Amino acid sequence: MVKQWWVRRYAAARAKAEAGMATAEYAMGTIAACGFAAVLYKVVTSGTVSGALQSVIGRALDAQF
């Protein structure tokens, strides 16, 4: 009986200790996603990539069917 009480108490304490962990993980994931989006935006809007994308789109629109 005492052992069951300790097991329940330990499980409850552990769940309470990790309650805020999900929020921290979401915050880190959001920061990482924003950083990745910023880098991707810079790459896509650079002159080299922009020119390549325009070339590909131009060739696709001028394709003969």
Side-chain angles (χ1 to χ4, degrees), residues 17-39:
E18 295 181 4
M21 189 62 79
T23 302
E25 290 170 356
Y26 282 123
M28 292 303 292
T30 302
I31 290 170
C34 289
F36 180 71
V39 169

Side-chain angles (χ1 to χ4, degrees), residues 1-32:
M1 178 143 160
V2 172
K3 183 179 179 184
Q4 291 174 348
W5 180 79
W6 276 107
V7 168
R8 285 194 309 265
R9 182 177 168 104
Y10 175 74
R14 184 177 169 121
K16 187 175 183 180
E18 295 181 4
M21 189 62 79
T23 302
E25 290 170 356
Y26 282 123
M28 292 303 292
T30 302
I31 290 170

Side-chain angles (χ1 to χ4, degrees), residues 35-60:
F36 180 71
V39 169
L40 186 61
Y41 177 77
K42 281 294 199 182
V43 167
V44 170
T45 56
S46 70
T48 305
V49 175
S50 180
L53 286 174
Q54 288 178 357
S55 173
V56 168
I57 292 171
R59 283 185 289 162

